[in-house]
Amino acid sequence: MLTAAHCVTPTAEFPIDPTRVRVLAGRQDLRGSGGERIPVAQALPYPGYDPDSFTGDLALLRLATPASQAVMPLMFPGTEPAPWADASPAQIVGWGRVTPSEVNGRFPDDLQEAATLIRSDAVCQGAWGDLYVVGQHLCAQSPAVDTCPGDSGGPILGVTLQGRVAVAGIVSFGPEVCATLPGVYTRVATFDSWIRTTLGPTLPSESTAVPVAHALQRLYLATFLRVPDQGGFDYWLGWLRSGVPLELVAGLFTLSPEFQARYGQLTSGDFVKVVYGNVLDREPDPEGYAYWATRIENGSISRGAMMTAFSESAEYRVITGIS
């Protein structure tokens, strides 16, 4: 499990014992009783972590037992140099405070998520000066959206230049009043080699992660052109693992307001053209266009079936890097 080093490093103010930490998996509502609490066998902060500069602020937790709950298989961005352009869309999730200041601060019972934008190093340094270290950090900001105390160690998810959903960063530090400055995250790509060396063969990869989870991840990206929200992902993953076909899930996706807002008013032919562009990033070849447009028009193939076929295609697996 990936987290922030400052979450598991004892200090005089917070004399935490990492071996007493429990990881809660499989629950999004703290008022419920589901999920499982897993003891941490070992906390491994990055050896170069500096609590004064918040550089190297990440750690790995070895769990005493594997999680039995369905979890989203997150990919690491690798060592790509600067995969996040200014204003790249991203998602943040966490249990942190939902009020901007510590006065009357409130912590949620439900897991929170929000859309934000990863900003350029220039924007981040302009806001934080020398506290923002290029290569070590990235920052994100959207109006009234930010991570807050209690979110530390959680992920910010982005899409790489290759179209892969990846952990872009780990919540590190931010302004005293949330959302008044960009939140700062440990840039995971910088530490890719250490993460892989430390975890060895246990690191989830495209060849070892659960195939049905990867299929759902691709379907989300192809259908909605965005990173899956954790709640929705867990819900539909349960369907797939119970034996429901991926095409049926895709058909239900096409009934959603989000899908209908993007594609609902398009003719069959226009739908095929737009999906080729959105999903495969190219114009349809004549044979492919004729095949899909004809069958969708006469009802022999549904729009959900087309989304399934595209998300499962070898071409899209190469585009997303999710096999």
Side-chain angles (χ1 to χ4, degrees):
M1 176 179 169
L2 190 63
T3 187
H6 77 262
C7 292
V8 294
T9 301
T11 65
E13 186 178 3
F14 298 104
I16 184 173
D17 179 358
T19 62
R20 299 184 66 182
V21 172
R22 298 293 184 268
V23 172
L24 178 62
R27 191 194 303 177
Q28 297 173 40
D29 185 346
L30 295 179
R31 294 163 296 195
S33 59
E36 58 185 327
R37 294 183 184 272
I38 308 171
V40 171
Q42 186 180 20
L44 300 166
Y46 179 69
Y49 167 56
D50 182 347
D52 295 322
S53 65
F54 282 95
T55 53
D57 187 16
L58 80 163
L60 292 168
L61 303 180
R62 290 192 187 278
L63 304 184
T65 58
S68 63
Q69 302 293 317
V71 295
M72 182 177 174
L74 297 174
M75 296 296 102
F76 293 95
T79 55
E80 303 172 69
W84 320 112
D86 188 40
S88 295
Q91 283 187 302
I92 50 177
V93 295
W95 299 97
R97 204 174 56 224
V98 293
T99 47
S101 68
E102 293 185 8
V103 178
N104 298 320
R106 182 175 68 85
F107 288 86
D109 292 315
D110 299 306
L111 182 64
Q112 303 293 297
E113 60 180 310
T116 188
L117 298 174
I118 296 174
R119 304 312 307 268
S120 68
D121 286 333
V123 171
C124 301
Q125 280 194 310
W128 286 100
D130 292 341
L131 288 176
Y132 180 89
V133 181
V134 175
Q136 289 271 337
H137 297 141
L138 60 80
C139 81
Q141 185 178 40
S142 290
V145 173
D146 194 8
T147 49
C148 282
D151 287 317
S152 287
I156 179 170
L157 308 177
V159 179
T160 70
L161 296 173
Q162 283 70 38
R164 295 191 304 152
V165 179
V167 185
I170 297 296
V171 179
S172 183
F173 67 91
E176 186 172 335
V177 178
C178 305
T180 55
L181 289 172
V184 180
Y185 304 77
T186 300
R187 186 182 290 266
V188 171
T190 299
F191 304 93
D192 183 85
S193 178
W194 176 76
I195 292 170
R196 294 179 185 277
T197 299
T198 303
L199 289 187
T202 64
L203 178 66
S205 68
E206 292 166 21
S207 61
T208 60
V210 182
V212 70
H214 277 182
L216 181 58
Q217 198 171 356
R218 288 192 304 271
L219 183 64
Y220 255 99
L221 285 170
T223 306
F224 300 124
L225 309 179
R226 64 170 174 84
V227 176
D229 59 284
Q230 188 68 56
F233 187 89
D234 289 345
Y235 176 77
W236 293 113
L237 186 59
W239 278 49
L240 294 177
R241 286 182 169 166
S242 69
V244 173
L246 184 66
E247 187 173 324
L248 175 58
V249 172
L252 295 172
F253 279 13
T254 65
L255 300 178
S256 69
E258 185 176 354
F259 185 91
Q260 288 297 315
R262 178 174 285 118
Y263 298 115
Q265 301 304 312
L266 298 179
T267 65
S268 298
D270 287 341
F271 172 77
V272 171
K273 290 178 181 178
V274 172
V275 169
Y276 262 92
N278 285 348
V279 179
L280 302 182
D281 195 27
R282 65 175 174 86
E283 294 290 327
D285 55 281
E287 294 78 12
Y289 174 80
Y291 176 88
W292 291 110
T294 299
R295 285 161 176 77
I296 290 176
E297 182 63 25
N298 65 26
S300 61
I301 288 180
S302 68
R303 295 189 175 195
M306 180 177 175
M307 300 310 301
T308 304
F310 274 37
S311 70
E312 288 293 284
S313 69
E315 184 176 355
Y316 194 60
R317 290 169 186 249
V318 171
I319 290 171
T320 60
I322 305 171
S323 62

